[in-house]
Each structure stands twice: as C-alpha cells, then as structure tokens.
Amino acid sequence: MDASRANLPPLSLHVPEPRFRPGDEADFSDVDVPPAGSARRPDTAEPAANFHELAYTLVRVLDESGQAVGPWNPRLDAQVLRKMLRSMAMVRAFDERMFRAQRQGKTSFYMKSTGEEAVSVAATMALASDDMCFPSYRQQGILITRGYPLVTMMNQIYSNKGDPLQGRQLPIMYSAKDHGFFSISGNLATQYPQAVGWAMASAAKGDTRIAATWCGEGSTAEGDFHSAMTFATVYKAPVILNVVNNQWAISSFSGFAGAEATTFAARAVGYGIAGLRVDGNDALAVYAATQWAAERARTNQGPTLIEHFTYRAEGHSTSDDPTAYRSAGEPNAWPLGDPVRRLKDHLIALGEWDEERHAAQDLELAEEVKRAQKEAEKNGILGHGMHQPFETMFEGVFEEMPWHLKEQSEQMIAERKAAGI
C-alpha cells in the first residue's frame, strides 16, 4: 500500500440487499407517495429539460376517496371507464384460469400479471389501435384490450393444433401482427431496440403510427436497453418506452438494477428525453401519461420514458416461489393498493358502478374464460400427443429451405412411414 494513503479506510464494495426477507414484517411507510393531483402536467411540446422533476415524483390521478383530481385527470366518460375496468378484470380472470390449468398439468408454464393490469390495459386504451406494441411477457392485457380471441391465446399457451405459432414459442409468448403485437421474446430487453427501429422506420416513411414497448426494471440493466435509448434520443424516434418497476426481477430485487441510487424514470434525464414516473396502480394516471407521451411522439417531440411504479403481487411465474426470497406480507403492505379495486372504487364514487354489478361482472367473465378454455382444450393439451405435423419443425425459418434440411426432412418422413407412424 502507498504510504501516502495509509490513513484511508480500505475500499469496500456495496452489495444491494432487499429490505425485507422471508419472516420479516414488510413496512413501506418510507415510500414517498405524493398527493394525487400534485404533479404538474407540461404541454406536450415543452422541452424535456424543463420538467426533470417528473422523473422523481409520481404522477397520480385517483385520490384516497376514489376521486380523479389534478391536471393529469384524463376526464374519461363512464362508458370508457367501465370498458377499462372490464378489460382489467378479464385479464385477472384469464390469469386465474390459466394458472390453474398449469397446476393441473395442462400446460408447462404461465405468468400472471396480478397487480399490474393497469400498466397494459390503460396504456393500450390510450394508444391508437394500429400503433405497434413491443411487449415483455406480462402484457397479455394488450391483446385482451384489443379484442384478440381468448381461445387463440389459450391455443398458444397449450401449444396445441390450434396454436397459430405451431408450438414454436413458449407458453404466453404470443405473436399477433394483425393486432399490432410483436412477438414476445424470452431474451429480455430485445424488444426495446426493435421498437425504436420500428418507430424510426415509421417516421422515415412519413407514417402516423407510433411504437410502444415494455420491459421490467431489471431489464434496464441490459445493454439492449441503453442501445435503444441512444438511438431513440439521437433520432427523436416516435416511441413510448415503458419500464414496469414491479420491484422484483424474478428473485432479484430492484436495487440490483439501480433502484437504490435513483428512479428508473431518471434514466431519461441522462439521455435528454422526457421522463415520467407514474403510479402504476392508478389506471387513470397510466392512461393520462400514455396519452401525453403518444401526442408528444405523434407531433415529432421525440420519445418518452415512463416508469410505472407498481408491485408484482404474485410469483414471477409458475416456476417461482416468492416465499423463498421475500416477505409474505409485502403484497398487502404495498402502499398503492390494487389497480382493479381502485378503478372500481372510482366508478362507484361517480355513481356509475356498484359492488353488485362488479360481482356479477366477475362471475360473467369467469364463465366466459371457462367456455374459452373448454373450446381451446378440444385442440389438445400438454402430454396428449404431438399436435403439429412433425415435418413443420423444418419450416418457417428460411425463406428457401437449404439442401441439408430438405435431406433431413425427407429422411425423417421416410423413416416415419416405414415405422407406420
């Protein structure tokens, strides 16, 4: 050691540690939740440098009594609010049924979005129907809100003979070009540069459609995220960059992606683009922020990064046991509540809904999902044989199948025929 530094303490490395572990009592009292309506709403043409504070606070619309307040209030009519509530409740009903199907051995894998329904549903309702969405794997609400058939979604989950992707994607990794829904990838953050590139192409063609993409807070540590941010800011791509901060990336808490240092919305500041931090359990705040960002993109003001501050109420997937790494009390202690309940309470406060109608709707949706499941299962479930013709494994990769694959395919067909298969 250099003698001139002998009086200095030795260097130490900081390793982030979650605040609560199994057995601990969860306490989120130190989470700063500003009053609803307190965040200012800039004009969509205002330079991003003028409202850095919006990357550090929370855009909130619904107050504790269920009223919509403040400058971000989108002033949606009751019919739109009921449609939003129905879509969010449908996502929850769909998740419950498909989770149960996995536990019954009918499919290999499923991921619920419980507690995060507003992030996908409200955002989708604020976009145009032909805007292109580049989702992560917890945005099934986009498809449900856009009216994609439940049976087709289930066929994909079961990888059965009705699966439009012919069993080539893991369950829940949907792809629906006709609904503006880009193929889900299990490789995290790949959709970010894809969305930015698509948005740049739309602008280059003089189109009016914009792109929106989603990733979890853990994925912001990926290189793809930062490459996309660079291109988005340099070319002012018409894209909305959503970061769903649900506090956990599988079993790694958000601190490993940088949450202890600053907010995820603050990453927009370093890139010189608009950044908003939004109450992700407030459907009206999500809608208003997305609508604002969409107008900004469509008027050539550039991209917006939106951090949706929310909580993953259940496990990462059916392969995960959250009780092994987090406090069991966290979901109930989360200070921003449940997005479905908050929107329901808002409609009740307006005199446009009641508990009886809500209970009836839940029952109706559960029955609708159950009927769709029965229809999908006619096409097959896990373990009930091969659902796609064997030779399709050679298709859909190359525009022109190379000679060696043709040779292998012909050999396989001949062998199966000889075996009487």
Side-chain angles (χ1 to χ4, degrees):
M1 179 184 295
D2 190 317
S4 65
R5 293 194 297 271
N7 63 329
L8 295 178
L11 295 174
S12 63
L13 189 68
H14 172 67
V15 178
E17 179 68 24
R19 296 161 58 204
F20 318 117
R21 283 297 193 185
D24 294 339
E25 182 178 349
D27 180 7
F28 290 107
S29 59
D30 62 336
V31 174
D32 184 19
V33 180
S38 60
R40 77 180 185 96
R41 183 185 186 279
D43 186 88
T44 53
E46 191 168 335
N50 289 5
F51 48 86
H52 286 171
E53 77 279 2
L54 294 180
Y56 300 95
T57 183
L58 276 179
V59 172
R60 305 182 68 228
V61 173
L62 293 174
D63 66 14
E64 302 308 316
S65 62
Q67 299 293 337
V69 298
W72 286 92
N73 180 5
R75 304 188 185 282
L76 301 176
D77 64 41
Q79 184 175 352
V80 174
L81 292 171
R82 283 192 290 266
K83 180 183 177 182
M84 187 183 292
L85 179 64
R86 183 181 182 85
S87 293
M88 289 168 62
M90 174 62 88
V91 173
R92 190 162 290 186
F94 185 88
D95 279 354
E96 289 296 332
R97 175 65 58 170
M98 290 295 94
F99 181 89
R100 205 174 313 149
Q102 191 278 335
R103 289 297 191 245
Q104 293 168 344
K106 295 178 178 180
T107 184
S108 60
F109 183 75
Y110 193 73
M111 300 180 78
K112 299 172 78 172
S113 61
T114 309
E116 301 174 42
E117 293 88 353
V119 171
S120 57
V121 171
T124 303
M125 290 185 67
L127 295 169
S129 60
D130 58 350
D131 288 335
M132 191 68 182
C133 295
F134 292 77
S136 183
Y137 40 52
R138 218 181 295 276
Q139 278 78 54
Q140 52 266 51
I142 299 171
L143 287 174
I144 287 174
T145 303
R146 287 187 167 177
Y148 194 70
L150 299 182
V151 173
T152 309
M153 292 178 71
M154 292 176 178
N155 285 338
Q156 192 280 327
I157 292 167
Y158 290 136
S159 300
N160 59 28
K161 67 182 182 181
D163 177 8
L165 305 182
Q166 298 184 297
R168 292 170 177 157
Q169 280 273 63
L170 282 168
I172 65 87
M173 292 190 180
Y174 318 99
S175 178
K177 184 178 181 180
D178 56 341
H179 282 67
F181 189 96
F182 197 80
S183 304
I184 293 178
S185 171
N187 297 318
L188 302 179
T190 57
Q191 67 272 25
Y192 254 62
Q194 291 162 349
V196 173
W198 191 97
M200 289 171 62
S202 184
K205 292 188 296 186
D207 204 341
T208 59
R209 294 176 296 165
I210 66 172
T213 185
W214 289 255
C215 76
E217 85 285 346
S219 301
T220 64
E222 297 279 346
D224 281 348
F225 173 86
H226 295 280
S227 296
M229 293 289 285
T230 298
F231 275 83
T233 187
V234 169
Y235 295 100
K236 297 183 72 172
V239 62
I240 303 172
L241 306 154
N242 296 285
V243 175
V244 186
N245 179 9
N246 64 13
Q247 315 305 313
W248 290 95
I250 310 184
S251 58
S252 297
F253 89 114
S254 58
F256 281 103
E260 290 183 341
T262 188
T263 69
F264 291 97
R267 300 194 175 182
V269 176
Y271 284 99
I273 68 174
L276 301 176
R277 189 164 178 261
V278 175
D279 178 348
N281 289 19
D282 180 342
L284 296 192
V286 173
Y287 182 99
T290 305
Q291 183 184 53
W292 181 90
E295 182 180 336
R296 192 173 177 87
R298 247 182 273 279
T299 55
N300 295 312
Q301 302 302 316
T304 301
L305 175 67
I306 303 176
E307 176 190 347
H308 301 271
F309 194 60
T310 182
Y311 187 82
R312 196 194 76 206
E314 302 207 20
H316 174 74
S317 71
T318 49
S319 303
D320 176 44
D321 177 13
T323 64
Y325 55 82
R326 73 181 187 188
S327 167
E330 280 193 28
N332 292 329
W334 183 246
L336 298 178
D338 175 83
V340 176
R341 180 190 59 76
R342 289 178 66 187
L343 184 55
K344 177 197 72 173
D345 290 348
H346 174 56
L347 273 162
I348 292 174
L350 293 176
E352 297 287 350
W353 200 241
D354 54 58
E355 294 289 357
E356 292 73 20
R357 290 168 73 183
H358 192 78
Q361 177 175 268
D362 280 347
L363 181 61
E364 176 194 348
L365 296 177
E367 289 299 316
E368 184 177 342
V369 173
K370 184 178 180 180
R371 288 193 298 271
Q373 182 185 26
K374 288 183 177 179
E375 189 65 28
E377 289 180 0
K378 292 177 183 178
N379 294 317
I381 59 174
L382 182 70
H384 285 198
M386 186 176 295
H387 301 301
Q388 300 292 336
F390 200 87
E391 58 269 21
T392 60
M393 69 181 289
F394 295 96
E395 301 170 358
V397 178
F398 299 95
E399 184 176 2
E400 293 289 337
M401 190 184 297
W403 68 267
H404 66 287
L405 288 187
K406 286 182 180 179
E407 186 177 272
Q408 291 176 31
S409 178
E410 290 166 0
Q411 181 181 354
M412 178 271 298
I413 292 171
E415 289 177 354
R416 286 171 62 82
K417 187 178 294 185
I421 302 176

